[in-house]
Amino acid sequence: MDVNFLQQSRKFLTALVLILVLTVTTACGGVSQATQRPQLPGSIGSTYTQLERGSTAAGQKFGDWAVQTANGLVKDAYVRDNNKLGVVITPQVKANEVQTLARSLLQGFHKNFPNQDLSVLMYAPDKKLILTARYDEQSKQIKYQ
């Protein structure tokens, strides 16, 4: 068998499974924003390991969900202001899979926090920013930086 074909198949299947998991579980586990109580946001920096997963109850729940359902691809996640999702990926995520993972997370994020512009910030395992995906509610488009 061709090694390149096996690698491409693995990448495709990983992305497909992640999209399906995120879509199905997000559709079943939506969060009502009407019952949220705001909390003070944490800051990124030297106290990184002490961060909560969200600055609101809904954000906390989504951050927990993202880590638990990503099948070992997401090490940590946080949600700020119900429109910014920061994700630290594990070393198992290959560089060419980061954008697909960001898109999948953004789709799940949009289902839980609809009708607004959203951002997903992808961080490498060493916590350096490697990709930002921005969803524009008006144009319904995702832009990557």
Side-chain angles (χ1 to χ4, degrees):
M1 296 208 110
D2 184 68
V3 176
N4 192 26
F5 175 74
L6 290 174
Q7 290 175 340
Q8 292 294 336
S9 297
R10 178 185 169 272
K11 291 175 193 172
F12 176 75
L13 288 174
T14 300
L16 183 62
V17 168
L18 185 60
I19 290 170
L20 289 173
V21 167
L22 291 173
T23 302
V24 171
T25 55
T26 301
C28 296
V31 178
S32 170
Q33 291 186 0
T35 60
Q36 298 175 37
R37 291 192 326 175
Q39 300 172 352
L40 293 175
S43 62
I44 296 178
S46 61
T47 60
Y48 179 84
T49 58
Q50 299 172 0
L51 286 177
E52 68 277 3
R53 292 238 165 97
S55 60
T56 65
Q60 177 78 29
K61 186 173 180 179
F62 187 81
D64 289 340
W65 173 86
V67 172
Q68 292 168 0
T69 59
N71 296 325
L73 299 176
V74 173
K75 179 179 178 181
D76 200 5
Y78 67 89
V79 176
R80 295 292 175 265
D81 305 323
N82 291 341
N83 66 1
K84 294 175 197 76
L85 171 64
V87 175
V88 179
I89 59 174
T90 63
Q92 288 76 23
V93 179
K94 296 190 180 347
N96 59 351
E97 298 171 336
V98 174
Q99 186 170 330
T100 303
L101 179 57
R103 183 177 56 245
S104 297
L105 289 165
L106 195 51
Q107 289 170 343
F109 197 36
H110 180 255
K111 288 183 181 184
N112 279 276
F113 301 96
N115 305 320
Q116 61 181 322
D117 296 340
L118 301 170
S119 297
V120 174
L121 293 83
M122 303 294 288
Y123 294 89
D126 64 0
K127 300 176 185 73
K128 291 183 181 175
L129 183 64
I130 54 175
L131 177 74
T132 301
R134 297 188 194 285
Y135 174 76
D136 179 25
E137 177 63 27
Q138 186 174 358
S139 69
K140 309 287 188 220
Q141 299 292 314
I142 300 172
K143 293 185 181 175
Y144 300 95
Q145 298 176 328

